[in-house]
Amino acid sequence: MCGIVGWMNYEENLSYQTKVIDLMNKQHANRGPDSEGTWIGEHVALGHRRLSVMDPENGLQPMVKQFGNQQMVVTYNGELYNMVDLRMELESLGYCFTTHCDTELLPAAYQEWGVDAPKRMNGIFAFAIWDEFAQELYIARDRIGVKPLFYAHVKDTFVFGSEIKSLLQHPDIGSVIDDHGLAEVLMMGPARTPGEGVFRDIKELKPGHWLKVSRQGIQTHPYWQLVSRAHEDDFETTITKVTDLFEASVRRQLISDVPIGTMLSGGLDSSAISAVAAKVFREEGKGRLTTFSIDYQDNDQFFEQNEFQPNADSPWAQLMAEFLQSDHHVVYLNNQELVDHIPSALIARDFPGMADIDSSLMLFSREIKKDLTVCLSGECADEVFGGYPWFHREEMVQANIFPWACLTNERIPFIRKDVQDRIQPMEYVEMRYQQTLEEVPRCDQDSPREDRMKELFYMNLTRWMPTLLDRKDRMSMAYGLEVRVPFCDHHLVEYVWNIPWEMKAHNGREKGLLRHALKGILPDEIIERKKSPYPKTHHPLYLQAMQRKVNELLLDKQAPIWDFLDYQVVQRFVGQDLKQKHLPWFGQLMNVPALLAYWLQFNQWLVHFQVQYR
């Protein structure tokens, strides 16, 4: 993948403003380690950092294309999986191309179809096209939001970038948060409301949207949305279509001119992707598939089964590797590495995140990058097919709150009373929850039960899944590793969205329909394995390290965190025997150690980004 940035100002000549765009572009050095480039016109400056995946010898960006008297300049982060078909269609319309990379297709598609161009694209992308003749900037993001894009408009200045840190390098954009931004971090985080950039002037371009900047102003519009309709296929037809859509997605996403492999945990999702990938490798004579799994030193000694994590991954990953006869690598991490890289994970993510769950993925990506440039991952099957516990526990299904954050109210006592009065924490969460429900596409033929399950799936697809995709993008791109997610293919997502819950939960199992669809593709043991999330450390030294670091933070009463958290409440909490404390405050994995780490990241965020609250 890559990193993109841009700056527009109709009232200023940017021709000599190279320092600002270079500084913005520099923030994406990890995203694009292979080359860099800028293009500067009178009113626009574009930047690009490249990670070469297709046609490494060509495709330097920003790329300039001429169509008659129209000049288009594009900066692009992504992959088009239907590149061959799109190229053929455009060639049939009279367009000529000089490279074999997908970048060159974007300005031609925009020239031909205008703002509807992304509808023709199957892939993961965020791109910007400057139309020199019309003096307009067009930006678009992929349907699911796999690739990030943020923007800000302050007075006459418009800037955009793949990561927020690039926007903050512009002198007109400050690291200021208001009450809404603070509520996002303290109550919604590590999730983030779609469209919100947390910092006061920064917004996120929502998935499936385009944005156009012209002298008439800024216009945004969705080009893709989920549509609810009656599902008319019987069970066997549904199974066939799901199998075909899934296999087609994996096959498309294996295109690459650089080494490619898979992440393999031994769970249903990564095993399914690896099985199809290994099949394709055999068909095409590419040899053995390279697979990677992650584990932690001493986890065999300290692993503890709990309600969310029923078993360890290692034996299952090994079983699948043997089944596939893959070239398998196990990456072992230790607790000190996890602790040491939590600050780096925050900087990569731009916000307090999932602590050791982030840093472990960052370190995992670092090791994979030594052998591969592109990797396929099993993210998003749980959101698409209904794999999480909150799809199957009635009290969680009916909870009037985001199900991965049922203990949100447990955060409030840690927040200073004066801050609570300003941000109104539970009112803010309730407002965001109701906002989500209002967006759900309804179907008149759905029963009340089916309608509620649609609400739950919509919450997961648009609020929870972006948290994981954001994590995957930042942690992998911190080491220049491109990760693709076949379960996010929009054809698959659109079809499965309308499959009724009773089919999705076939045999009363999480992802029951997907399990049935994978019979004959995976070993029965893998198909029947109970869902287990991304592996984490269970070593008691990790909790001790987090407790020690928060106690050190308590020694500094001038630390900026105490402007927002209640010093005494935190002090009392950390003084307990936390080994006996159970507080799954976010998702399946974030318990007490992760809460302590989140506070540490929050303080680091305030310091590193010099955050001002007003």
Side-chain angles (χ1 to χ4, degrees):
M1 285 300 152
C2 307
I4 64 174
V5 294
W7 172 19
M8 264 189 71
N9 191 318
Y10 285 118
E11 305 305 318
E12 187 177 347
N13 187 338
L14 305 185
S15 301
Y16 305 101
Q17 298 279 10
T18 58
K19 288 185 179 179
V20 173
I21 197 68
D22 285 345
L23 191 57
M24 293 173 68
N25 207 26
K26 184 180 179 182
Q27 303 308 307
H28 295 152
N30 290 339
R31 298 186 71 89
D34 296 328
S35 64
E36 63 179 310
T38 57
W39 185 92
I40 301 179
E42 185 177 357
H43 298 301
V44 65
L46 303 176
H48 187 266
R49 296 289 309 218
R50 188 184 187 204
L51 174 66
S52 299
V53 173
M54 300 299 296
D55 196 1
E57 298 301 316
N58 299 295
L60 295 179
Q61 297 185 49
M63 181 181 286
V64 181
K65 292 293 290 184
Q66 195 77 29
F67 305 101
N69 65 344
Q70 286 185 280
Q71 186 182 75
M72 304 279 190
V73 188
V74 59
T75 183
Y76 162 57
N77 169 29
E79 295 292 340
L80 296 184
Y81 304 133
N82 66 333
M83 177 178 66
V84 174
D85 292 339
L86 185 60
R87 183 188 182 99
M88 290 174 62
E89 183 175 9
L90 288 167
E91 285 177 335
S92 73
L93 294 168
Y95 292 89
C96 297
F97 303 102
T98 59
T99 75
H100 296 288
C101 66
D102 50 359
T103 306
E104 196 178 9
L105 304 180
L106 300 176
Y110 183 61
Q111 171 73 7
E112 183 65 28
W113 298 301
V115 296
D116 289 332
K119 294 181 180 180
R120 306 284 183 134
M121 301 171 188
N122 182 328
I124 53 177
F125 54 80
F127 65 84
I129 296 175
W130 170 250
D131 184 333
E132 178 73 7
F133 180 80
Q135 293 284 288
E136 293 178 346
L137 182 72
Y138 173 82
I139 301 174
R141 191 174 176 212
D142 67 73
R143 294 169 178 82
I144 307 297
V146 178
K147 292 292 104 184
L149 195 63
F150 298 90
Y151 68 94
H153 184 218
V154 179
K155 298 178 182 177
D156 297 323
T157 294
F158 179 88
V159 293
F160 68 88
S162 296
E163 297 181 10
I164 282 177
K165 60 174 63 70
S166 64
L167 275 65
L168 293 175
Q169 297 303 310
H170 193 282
D172 290 346
I173 311 300
S175 51
V176 178
I177 58 169
D178 55 19
D179 291 342
H180 273 201
L182 187 59
E184 284 287 320
V185 176
L186 292 180
M187 296 303 296
M188 304 297 289
R192 182 167 41 77
T193 302
E196 294 294 322
V198 178
F199 293 103
R200 188 174 62 191
D201 296 315
I202 297 177
K203 298 183 182 301
E204 175 190 44
L205 183 60
K206 291 181 182 179
H209 280 63
W210 57 257
L211 178 151
K212 181 184 278 191
V213 186
S214 68
R215 290 188 182 275
Q216 285 68 51
I218 297 176
Q219 179 185 9
T220 61
H221 195 271
Y223 67 86
W224 180 84
Q225 293 171 306
L226 286 168
V227 176
S228 290
R229 57 173 65 93
H231 183 76
E232 298 178 351
D233 294 336
D234 62 22
F235 184 72
E236 291 307 319
T237 303
T238 299
I239 289 294
T240 299
K241 286 189 178 180
V242 165
T243 306
D244 290 347
L245 286 167
F246 168 66
E247 183 166 332
S249 175
V250 176
R251 285 180 176 274
R252 277 193 298 268
Q253 297 192 26
L254 286 171
I255 59 167
S256 176
D257 290 337
V258 294
I260 187 170
T262 67
M263 295 179 176
L264 177 63
S265 69
L268 187 75
D269 314 329
S270 65
S271 296
I273 291 170
S274 298
V276 174
K279 176 184 174 183
V280 174
F281 269 48
R282 289 192 296 271
E283 291 173 355
E284 298 180 355
K286 292 182 177 179
R288 293 198 297 165
L289 175 72
T290 301
T291 56
F292 279 84
S293 64
I294 186 173
D295 203 351
Y296 301 85
Q297 291 180 9
D298 300 324
N299 247 20
D300 55 343
Q301 178 182 350
F302 294 108
F303 178 84
E304 292 182 5
Q305 179 179 343
N306 61 46
E307 58 185 322
F308 293 129
Q309 205 148 20
N311 47 52
D313 278 351
S314 293
W316 302 93
Q318 189 58 43
L319 185 155
M320 267 307 297
E322 292 171 1
F323 174 78
L324 298 172
Q325 296 186 317
S326 64
D327 178 18
H328 190 61
H329 306 257
V330 182
V331 175
Y332 288 96
L333 304 179
N334 64 55
N335 284 282
Q336 194 57 51
E337 285 183 299
L338 292 179
V339 173
D340 291 345
H341 281 78
I342 286 176
S344 303
L346 171 120
I347 293 170
R349 196 160 184 164
D350 290 331
F351 297 114
M354 300 180 79
D356 63 299
I357 310 303
D358 283 354
S359 62
S360 63
L361 180 57
M362 175 185 278
L363 292 166
F364 189 32
S365 298
R366 181 190 68 186
E367 296 307 305
I368 295 174
K369 176 65 176 181
K370 294 176 181 178
D371 291 274
L372 305 175
T373 302
V374 182
C375 202
L376 273 60
S377 174
E379 250 82 11
C380 306
D382 291 307
E383 292 83 358
V384 174
F385 287 93
Y388 293 115
W390 48 75
F391 284 105
H392 302 271
R393 297 183 184 178
E394 195 60 26
E395 75 279 7
M396 300 182 85
V397 170
Q398 299 302 334
N400 289 317
I401 197 168
F402 296 111
W404 51 86
C406 285
L407 298 183
T408 294
N409 62 326
E410 299 283 346
R411 302 195 201 187
I412 297 175
F414 297 111
I415 302 172
R416 280 176 42 157
K417 289 290 192 296
D418 58 325
V419 175
Q420 290 183 38
D421 292 341
R422 289 195 61 171
I423 69 172
Q424 296 293 299
M426 283 312 295
E427 289 83 352
Y428 185 84
V429 174
E430 173 66 16
M431 179 267 288
R432 292 304 191 186
Y433 178 73
Q434 292 300 327
Q435 183 184 72
T436 309
L437 296 186
E438 290 168 7
E439 296 173 8
V440 179
R442 310 286 179 174
C443 178
D444 292 340
Q445 299 177 46
D446 284 344
S447 66
R449 177 65 173 182
E450 189 65 32
D451 190 60
R452 178 54 184 167
M453 295 311 295
K454 279 256 179 75
E455 290 179 346
L456 203 57
F457 273 95
Y458 189 83
M459 279 187 269
N460 277 265
L461 289 168
T462 65
R463 267 60 176 179
W464 171 254
M465 192 165 78
T467 306
L468 303 186
L469 291 174
D470 194 54
R471 162 182 173 261
K472 183 70 79 174
D473 174 82
R474 299 306 194 287
M475 298 307 115
S476 59
M477 291 308 298
Y479 283 99
L481 176 71
E482 176 184 318
V483 178
R484 300 174 180 175
V485 278
F487 282 106
C488 278
D489 179 85
H490 72 276
H491 297 299
L492 182 64
V493 172
E494 288 170 349
Y495 183 73
V496 177
W497 165 255
N498 284 304
I499 297 175
W501 173 243
E502 61 185 26
M503 282 193 188
K504 289 176 182 170
H506 179 64
N507 283 338
R509 288 296 308 274
E510 69 280 1
K511 293 180 291 195
L513 182 141
L514 181 61
R515 292 177 191 277
H516 193 79
L518 294 172
K519 287 185 180 294
I521 297 175
L522 295 179
D524 289 343
E525 305 98 300
I526 298 295
I527 290 175
E528 295 303 321
R529 181 190 176 192
K530 189 171 178 58
K531 174 188 163 43
S532 190
Y534 178 84
K536 62 173 292 182
T537 180
H538 292 263
H539 203 298
L541 290 178
Y542 178 68
L543 170 60
Q544 293 172 29
M546 292 300 101
Q547 199 166 5
R548 183 178 67 254
K549 284 181 174 293
V550 174
N551 275 316
E552 291 171 358
L553 188 59
L554 284 161
L555 295 175
D556 180 8
K557 292 189 176 182
Q558 302 305 311
I561 191 174
W562 308 126
D563 291 336
F564 306 102
L565 297 192
D566 189 311
Y567 180 93
Q568 271 134 6
V569 174
V570 171
Q571 187 179 47
R572 285 196 298 271
F573 181 81
V574 179
Q576 300 177 74
D577 179 6
L578 296 180
K579 293 192 296 295
Q580 309 302 320
K581 193 76 174 174
H582 185 56
L583 184 64
W585 61 283
F586 187 83
Q588 302 173 86
L589 302 177
M590 300 192 72
N591 213 301
V592 172
L595 179 62
L596 304 182
Y598 192 78
W599 290 341
L600 293 168
Q601 284 196 320
F602 178 43
N603 187 72
Q604 182 201 354
W605 179 68
L606 294 169
V607 173
H608 179 82
F609 288 96
Q610 299 180 343
V611 177
Q612 301 173 60
Y613 172 51
R614 58 175 184 258

